[in-house]
Amino acid sequence: MIKKKTENSLGFFNGINTFVGDSTILRGDFEVNGPLRIDGKFKGSIISNSMVYIGKKSISECVILAKSATIGGTIKGDIYAENSLIVLKSAEIIGNIYTTSINMDDGVVFDGKCQILTKDQIRELMDKIKKQIS
């Protein structure tokens, strides 16, 4: 029997690796191998080799380095997305965006600069930022 990958309501395949609930306040540094969803308050850094989802009620002061990201809440800090970044209309971003592809809904609050880079450029930049964080 071949097991089919199923997509959950968040658009993730095979579940979320790490979840920070909406009543949680967390400070620190995440380095995860798999999808991460934050709905609470977070301050620190996120390094993920997969998808990062920041929920609509989330308030985060952080730097995000991820393969892909979807932002629905408030982020104060820079976002580095190697493959793609989706910014929902409920989002507020105070910081810079570096990615290879972006989809930003109407109504987003954004204060910063946005750079669309090649795959090689974003990988090089992310490697540099990872060394600074570590």
Side-chain angles (χ1 to χ4, degrees), residues 5-123:
K5 284 186 176 182
T6 56
E7 188 173 336
N8 66 19
S9 63
L10 301 174
F12 295 129
F13 290 98
N14 297 331
I16 295 174
N17 187 43
T18 307
F19 181 82
V20 177
D22 61 359
S23 62
T24 303
I25 299 172
L26 185 64
R27 295 173 196 242
D29 302 310
F30 274 113
E31 192 163 339
V32 295
N33 293 317
L36 165 69
R37 180 178 173 123
I38 295 180
D39 284 325
K41 294 182 180 177
F42 174 70
K43 186 173 186 175
S45 65
I46 299 168
I47 299 173
S48 174
N49 67 354
S50 186
M51 174 68 158
V52 171
Y53 184 90
I54 304 297
K56 293 179 181 180
K57 295 180 181 180
S58 177
I59 300 173
S60 299
E61 288 184 45
C62 64
V63 60
I64 298 173
L65 292 93
K67 279 282 188 203
S68 299
T70 299
I71 309 298
T74 300
I75 296 282
K76 293 180 183 174
D78 295 340
I79 302 168
Y80 302 82
E82 185 177 333
N83 291 339
S84 65
L85 176 65
I86 298 171
V87 186
L88 304 176
K89 65 182 175 183
S90 57
E92 180 178 336
I93 300 173
I94 311 301
N96 301 314
I97 294 171
Y98 305 90
T99 187
T100 56
S101 173
I102 188 168
N103 181 342
M104 190 176 290
D105 289 347
D106 289 340
V108 169
V109 175
F110 174 58
D111 184 9
K113 68 178 180 177
C114 179
Q115 288 189 335
I116 305 301
L117 305 169
T118 66
K119 287 274 191 186
D120 289 338
Q121 288 172 323
I122 191 77
R123 285 184 189 131

